[in-house]
Amino acid sequence: MKYVSHSVFKIVDADADEMTEHYARTLSPAKVEPLQRGSLISVEDRHYAVGRCSVWNGRCHSGMRVTLSSGPDAYALYLPSSGIMAIDAGRKQLVSEPSVGLVGDMSRFDRLVLHEDRSHIGIAFEKSAMIRELSELLDAPAVGDIDFAETVDLATANGSRIMALGNLIWNCLDVSDEHQPSSTFVERLLQAMMIALLETVPNNYSTRLAKPSSPAIPKRLKRAIEYMHANVSSPMTIADVAAAAETSVRALQAAFQQFKDTTPLNYLRTIRLEGVRKTLSDPGNSLSVAEVARNWGFSHMGRFAALYQHSYGEMPSYAAKLRRGAK
């Protein structure tokens, strides 16, 4: 698969220094120690990188402790098949065993303790990818990080679906070339997993995500939205939008709050940010970040960059860099 990078490693009877060096070279800087002093460590792992996601199947035959200097800026899902793993994250300790999965912010992980014969499927999603998915579900920019409830009971209906989807993702990746599905298929499965986690694992956005879909949008609100799209690059005030929609500013604000759960200006800002993001990601675009931002109605580059990073978890220059790399 050209869209997937694949790595495999198997280490048998390594000492702590060898494992620490291996982690620094292949994963991230960390101090690795056996659970019992003087013991040797044996691990194996198959790992796939797909876009902004990573999927792996790992087994720790002997117990080990991994102390991280800094965790990746990503959300991780662990789906166990055997053994116990504990993660220290600040003042919390998260424990995963068969039938208990974990979802967590890897940037908050301090230490992982893998007990003997621990194995699991792991899936990591870059924060920007998860936040973008959340923003689309909310139909508004997500504000702040996502705080998941951490443990997932895999014996429940929702948990069993997450486990089944994780196994399906793995089975689509860990196959011979002739049986590999398309990149679109795998990417949609990973997107489905993000949606499943956001919608079924309790988090600080669950209340907003659980709100029922709005009923039919009033005509005046539709006119306001159409006016915003038609004049997205031009300066406009709430009064301008209200006049175009033939309503009052107060009524317009109430309509946006009721049917879009946001304000008119926040909605306009979202349209503009999404337009910038799509343009920056377009391989055919040759404009600079500043030119694209101005074309979508942003005049203050400092505020624009801060808004973009807050909404998508990355600087706008990152999307432009990815586009250049795709050429």
Side-chain angles (χ1 to χ4, degrees):
M1 278 190 238
K2 292 183 178 178
Y3 62 95
V4 169
S5 62
H6 177 211
S7 62
V8 178
F9 70 79
K10 183 175 182 178
I11 298 177
V12 179
D13 293 341
D15 62 25
D17 290 339
E18 289 176 295
M19 284 302 302
T20 295
E21 182 183 343
H22 169 76
Y23 261 76
R25 186 175 64 254
T26 61
L27 299 171
S28 62
K31 180 181 179 182
V32 185
E33 306 165 283
L35 293 187
Q36 296 187 13
R37 183 174 296 178
S39 297
L40 298 177
I41 300 170
S42 296
V43 297
E44 56 184 302
D45 180 272
R46 285 171 290 164
H47 183 279
Y48 296 89
V50 188
R52 297 185 180 184
C53 304
S54 297
V55 186
W56 66 95
N57 194 324
R59 179 181 291 272
C60 180
H61 297 284
S62 58
M64 68 176 183
R65 183 183 299 106
V66 182
T67 304
L68 301 168
S69 59
S70 61
D73 205 23
Y75 298 103
L77 167 67
Y78 295 92
L79 299 171
S81 53
S82 67
I84 298 172
M85 178 178 71
I87 298 176
D88 292 333
R91 297 182 179 180
K92 295 181 181 179
Q93 185 176 71
L94 317 175
V95 179
S96 170
E97 55 189 357
S99 81
V100 179
L102 289 180
V103 182
D105 182 343
M106 299 181 79
S107 67
R108 300 178 186 176
F109 291 179
D110 300 316
R111 182 167 51 211
L112 288 75
V113 178
L114 293 88
H115 292 266
E116 185 177 348
D117 199 32
R118 165 68 180 191
S119 62
H120 56 240
I121 292 173
I123 306 177
F125 308 91
E126 286 187 15
K127 279 189 177 180
S128 58
M130 186 74 83
I131 290 172
R132 180 179 182 181
E133 198 61 48
L134 174 61
S135 298
E136 291 183 4
L137 291 174
L138 294 172
D139 194 23
V143 180
D145 285 342
I146 306 166
D147 294 323
F148 286 104
E150 285 113 12
T151 58
V152 181
D153 185 350
L154 301 174
T156 64
N158 286 333
S160 64
R161 282 192 286 267
I162 288 172
M163 187 72 188
L165 182 54
N167 283 319
L168 177 58
I169 291 169
W170 178 253
N171 291 336
C172 287
L173 291 170
D174 197 45
V175 293
S176 60
D177 291 348
E178 62 190 281
H179 297 300
Q180 289 170 348
S182 69
S183 61
T184 301
F185 185 83
V186 175
E187 288 164 0
R188 291 295 183 272
L189 289 179
L190 289 165
Q191 181 184 28
M193 180 63 88
M194 285 190 281
I195 294 171
L197 296 177
L198 289 166
E199 292 187 345
T200 64
V201 179
N203 60 76
N204 53 324
Y205 289 92
S206 292
T207 301
R208 290 176 63 187
L209 287 167
K211 286 185 177 181
S213 300
S214 300
I217 297 176
K219 289 183 178 179
R220 289 179 179 176
L221 182 55
K222 284 185 178 179
R223 284 200 293 266
I225 293 172
E226 288 169 358
Y227 176 82
M228 288 179 176
H229 279 283
N231 300 277
V232 68
S233 62
S234 303
M236 70 179 82
T237 65
I238 299 178
D240 295 331
V241 179
E246 299 178 4
T247 188
S248 67
V249 169
R250 192 170 186 176
L252 182 68
Q253 289 172 326
F256 267 96
Q257 198 64 52
Q258 179 182 354
F259 293 94
K260 292 297 183 181
D261 195 26
T262 189
T263 66
L265 287 182
N266 278 340
Y267 193 86
L268 175 62
R269 191 178 296 126
T270 300
I271 293 172
R272 288 172 165 168
L273 285 169
E274 289 175 350
V276 169
R277 188 174 182 82
K278 288 179 182 178
T279 304
L280 290 177
S281 302
D282 182 358
N285 171 56
S286 60
L287 299 176
S288 67
V289 171
E291 289 171 322
V292 172
R294 281 194 291 271
N295 287 347
W296 283 96
F298 292 101
S299 56
H300 192 290
M301 292 302 106
R303 280 197 216 104
F304 156 70
L307 283 169
Y308 191 99
Q309 184 178 32
H310 187 69
S311 299
Y312 300 114
E314 64 187 29
M315 293 300 289
S317 55
Y318 181 76
K321 182 180 178 181
L322 287 180
R323 180 198 74 220
R324 291 193 297 271
K327 290 183 177 179

